[in-house]
Amino acid sequence: MNWRSIGAIISKDFTLFFRNRFFVVITVLALVMFAVIYFVMPSSVDETLEIGLYAPVVPPAMELIQGAEEGLEIVEVESEEALKKGVTEGAYVAGMVFPPDIMEKLALNQPPEITVYFASDMPDEIREVVSAIIAEMAYLETGQTLNIALHPKLLGRDMAGSQIPQRDRVRSLFAVFVLMTETFGLAGLISEEVERRTAWALLVTPMTVKDLFTAKAVLGTILAFSQALLLLVVVGGMNAQPLIIAIALLLGAVLVTGVAFLMASLGKDFLSVTAWGVPALVVLSIPAVAIMIPGPVSDWIKAIPSYYLTDTIYQVSNFGAGWSDVWRNLLILAGFNAVIISAGIAVLRRKFQ
Amino acid sequence: MTDYSIVAEGLTYWYGDLVAVDHISFHVAEGEILGFLGPNGAGKTTTWRMLTGQLKPKAGRATVLGRDIAEDSQKVQGEIGVCFEYTNLYEQMSASENLRLFARLFGIRGFDDDALLRRVGLEGWGKHRVEEFSKGMKQRLMVARSLVNRPKILFLDEPTAGLDPVSAESIRTVILEERERGASIFLTTHDMMEADKLSDRVAFINQGKIVALDTPHNLKQTYGKRALKAEVAAGGGLEYLEIPLDAADTPDAVHDLFSQKKVITIHSEEATLEDIFIKITGRGLEE
């Protein structure tokens, strides 16, 4: 490995990157835009209650409650399974299941069995409110204190007391976007090197193809990593476990560098590189979007390498997850990196022959 | 014993079924300019790419500066200079930045980019971005770039193609200076005038094979037509006469020309390298 040549190419590419107005504009714009969006988004959570209800027999008091309680919405569903799904996916903050014999038991002054499902990130206060609503329903129905037994069940991680504002959920998405933005710059530089045939001038010096790829990989990783790091520092994503976040971003930067190699090998010029980059950006963003939606993530999303980056950032910056929680993510991400970088180099090498 | 900078032995390359270079052998001595002439697609550039380490020969071998180019290309590339036919400079960088980049790649300390720019007539243009340059200026900068490491061999691919006379002459001067310095020069071109002016020897390549290799003078002697061509006044117009120089009656014919006709112009008719190439291959260099 000829580090003198590698250093010369990195230095040259930095110069060219910052002399390209388009690259500079999209880089600065992405950083500023994501930071602004983050700070514009509400830092607290909308507490309107949307409660799902599965009740084979609907008590007459239900309509009274709907009208009486501001900010309360009770949505009837067709089955208990549909109710659980809605709660899991965050459609309802809680779900109530009334037994078919509720009216008979209330009439006999026996406690009916009412199951209440809560979303995993439901704070205690909301649980208490839901319990109070159920008590009020009973009061309206019977004119006396409710004599029922409640069985609260949690689905997923217990988020009591640690409700996450939407803007903190999107931090992972912003990180992926910023990382991906740099792939356009790197892929553009590589394709330009081929298109203008400057690569051949480099390769008749003591520099080898391996040196050239190493220089590009280092440059891409530095550009992507430094900007994603800067963004996360600004939006408070580095407050917890900064070392883990930094390592995750570094691995993410290597990942997008591999993607940039693939893009550069597919495109003939900057425009076609951009055209290939957009689908790549969409695919890599899917896990981050999925994480924004409360509830467990579908298994197929875990086949997308960026899942392990976004999940790590999400878990660490929002829940204070540590090494023991995310080491598996980082390892899998490193594995994906090895595969994608190797594939990128293999296909890109053909362009340099 | 002559020291050779380049020795090619049975050098061969093919793309699929097409044999681009077919078992060619030649050598270039130290301080010699070898003009490598042929029409497009004859195998010039493929040969040039093999000798500069960009392609590995499929058969045969080439030794450049005593090293097998296929095995030791990196070391060889540290001691050669390569100037491409097409412009491949970093256009958003200045002329000096382009040169300094390559000086770093060659590991040269204390590199004087101004001196090199001066040599190719680009004094004062060092800080200007290459995108502001004319084609001739870019080509001169390309030549300057190939000289960054004071190469022992200079590989030039069509260095003056499409240039204005001033730029072309400037490049020719540099080529001759480099030969004076002791560098060998492998000049690929299909401009026979340029090859004739610059080359110590020329090789004709056609359909992947070297069909002739000698000094321009010897080639002209061997394949050229020796004749005098005269323009004489005839009945208010002009008449053109050609007198062979090697015929038995040449002295009488020359005597008659001057005693019986009014000669307007007269000159010897030497074959050009292109005439010779056509004679040998049956096709022109521009094909």
Side-chain angles (χ1 to χ4, degrees), chain B residues 105-217:
Chain B
L105 294 176
F106 284 111
I108 295 166
R109 290 171 192 275
F111 172 68
D112 185 352
D113 49 291
D114 288 332
L116 198 46
L117 288 170
R118 205 176 307 126
R119 267 192 80 187
V120 295
L122 291 175
E123 194 173 4
W125 286 91
K127 289 181 180 168
H128 289 255
R129 285 196 188 181
V130 175
E131 61 195 356
E132 299 169 20
F133 286 17
S134 67
K135 185 182 178 187
M137 291 165 76
K138 286 178 185 173
Q139 193 62 23
R140 280 186 268 163
L141 183 59
M142 296 265 294
V143 172
R145 187 179 70 183
S146 68
L147 301 176
V148 159
N149 58 334
R150 289 176 60 81
K152 291 180 179 164
I153 307 176
L154 197 50
F155 289 90
L156 304 168
D157 193 5
E158 308 280 1
T160 61
L163 294 190
D164 61 279
V166 174
S167 293
E169 195 51 39
S170 159
I171 288 172
R172 285 186 202 112
T173 304
V174 171
I175 293 171
L176 294 172
E177 285 170 0
E178 284 300 298
R179 180 178 62 179
E180 287 303 305
R181 185 175 63 81
S184 302
I185 290 150
F186 187 86
L187 174 66
T188 307
T189 182
H190 64 264
D191 181 342
M192 65 287 171
M193 295 289 285
E194 179 166 276
D196 200 356
K197 272 186 191 174
L198 296 174
S199 307
D200 297 309
R201 291 188 303 147
V202 293
F204 287 156
I205 184 166
N206 186 43
Q207 294 177 338
K209 293 177 190 289
I210 290 181
V211 291
L213 174 57
D214 211 331
T215 63
H217 180 265

Side-chain angles (χ1 to χ4, degrees), chain A residues 148-166:
Chain A
I148 58 171
L150 278 179
H151 300 284
K153 292 179 184 174
L154 271 184
L155 301 171
R157 177 198 281 265
D158 188 354
M159 299 284 294
S162 54
Q163 187 77 330
I164 303 165
Q166 198 66 8

Side-chain angles (χ1 to χ4, degrees), chain B residues 262-273:
Chain B
K262 187 181 178 186
V263 178
I264 309 297
T265 64
I266 186 164
H267 54 88
S268 63
E269 191 184 50
E270 272 190 340
T272 64
L273 290 180

Side-chain angles (χ1 to χ4, degrees), chain A residues 109-184:
Chain A
N109 202 25
Q110 290 175 356
E113 297 285 328
I114 295 179
T115 304
V116 183
Y117 292 112
F118 290 107
S120 60
D121 50 355
M122 174 69 59
D124 276 340
E125 309 84 74
I126 306 291
R127 289 180 201 169
E128 284 165 14
V129 169
V130 173
S131 301
I133 288 165
I134 294 166
E136 188 170 356
M137 282 166 56
Y139 177 77
L140 286 168
E141 189 61 40
T142 62
Q144 59 188 325
T145 307
L146 183 61
N147 182 19
I148 58 171
L150 278 179
H151 300 284
K153 292 179 184 174
L154 271 184
L155 301 171
R157 177 198 281 265
D158 188 354
M159 299 284 294
S162 54
Q163 187 77 330
I164 303 165
Q166 198 66 8
R167 69 179 196 172
D168 291 344
R169 289 181 187 276
V170 299
R171 273 197 291 237
S172 310
L173 182 66
F174 288 170
V176 170
F177 276 158
V178 167
L179 288 171
M180 276 303 293
T181 303
E182 289 322 304
T183 64
F184 291 97

Side-chain angles (χ1 to χ4, degrees), chain B residues 9-248:
Chain B
E9 295 167 314
L11 207 55
T12 303
Y13 197 88
W14 57 82
Y15 302 96
D17 293 335
L18 175 72
V19 181
V21 175
D22 193 359
H23 297 89
I24 62 171
S25 300
F26 61 92
H27 57 75
V28 183
E30 279 183 8
E32 182 186 25
I33 300 179
L34 177 72
F36 210 63
L37 280 83
N40 293 334
K44 296 190 304 284
T45 301
T46 301
T47 305
W48 184 84
R49 293 187 69 193
M50 282 192 282
L51 294 176
T52 54
Q54 297 176 71
L55 280 180
K56 279 198 175 183
K58 301 273 189 181
R61 71 194 289 259
T63 309
V64 179
L65 296 169
R67 294 192 172 99
D68 188 323
I69 186 68
E71 304 296 325
D72 219 356
S73 61
Q74 227 181 317
K75 281 190 178 154
V76 171
Q77 285 166 340
E79 298 187 83
I80 63 174
V82 180
C83 181
F84 293 78
E85 178 187 5
Y86 45 82
T87 305
N88 57 358
L89 297 159
Y90 292 101
E91 306 247 341
Q92 288 177 313
M93 287 165 55
S94 70
S96 288
E97 284 172 335
N98 269 276
L99 295 181
R100 287 201 295 264
L101 166 66
F102 281 77
R104 279 184 74 182
L105 294 176
F106 284 111
I108 295 166
R109 290 171 192 275
F111 172 68
D112 185 352
D113 49 291
D114 288 332
L116 198 46
L117 288 170
R118 205 176 307 126
R119 267 192 80 187
V120 295
L122 291 175
E123 194 173 4
W125 286 91
K127 289 181 180 168
H128 289 255
R129 285 196 188 181
V130 175
E131 61 195 356
E132 299 169 20
F133 286 17
S134 67
K135 185 182 178 187
M137 291 165 76
K138 286 178 185 173
Q139 193 62 23
R140 280 186 268 163
L141 183 59
M142 296 265 294
V143 172
R145 187 179 70 183
S146 68
L147 301 176
V148 159
N149 58 334
R150 289 176 60 81
K152 291 180 179 164
I153 307 176
L154 197 50
F155 289 90
L156 304 168
D157 193 5
E158 308 280 1
T160 61
L163 294 190
D164 61 279
V166 174
S167 293
E169 195 51 39
S170 159
I171 288 172
R172 285 186 202 112
T173 304
V174 171
I175 293 171
L176 294 172
E177 285 170 0
E178 284 300 298
R179 180 178 62 179
E180 287 303 305
R181 185 175 63 81
S184 302
I185 290 150
F186 187 86
L187 174 66
T188 307
T189 182
H190 64 264
D191 181 342
M192 65 287 171
M193 295 289 285
E194 179 166 276
D196 200 356
K197 272 186 191 174
L198 296 174
S199 307
D200 297 309
R201 291 188 303 147
V202 293
F204 287 156
I205 184 166
N206 186 43
Q207 294 177 338
K209 293 177 190 289
I210 290 181
V211 291
L213 174 57
D214 211 331
T215 63
H217 180 265
N218 286 349
L219 286 172
K220 287 172 190 173
Q221 289 290 314
T222 307
Y223 298 100
K225 183 167 61 174
R226 284 164 43 78
L228 282 177
K229 199 165 188 179
E231 197 178 52
V232 297
L238 289 173
E239 187 184 344
Y240 299 95
L241 299 173
E242 192 174 282
I243 302 169
L245 287 177
D246 299 321

Side-chain angles (χ1 to χ4, degrees), chain A residues 301-339:
Chain A
I301 288 176
K302 293 177 183 171
I304 301 172
S306 56
Y307 167 78
Y308 301 94
L309 167 68
T310 51
D311 188 53
T312 302
I313 295 173
Y314 183 70
Q315 300 294 341
V316 173
S317 62
N318 292 326
F319 306 117
W323 288 105
S324 59
D325 303 304
V326 296
W327 69 270
R328 209 173 271 108
N329 272 358
L330 298 176
L331 200 64
I332 294 170
L333 184 57
F336 268 116
N337 282 355
V339 171

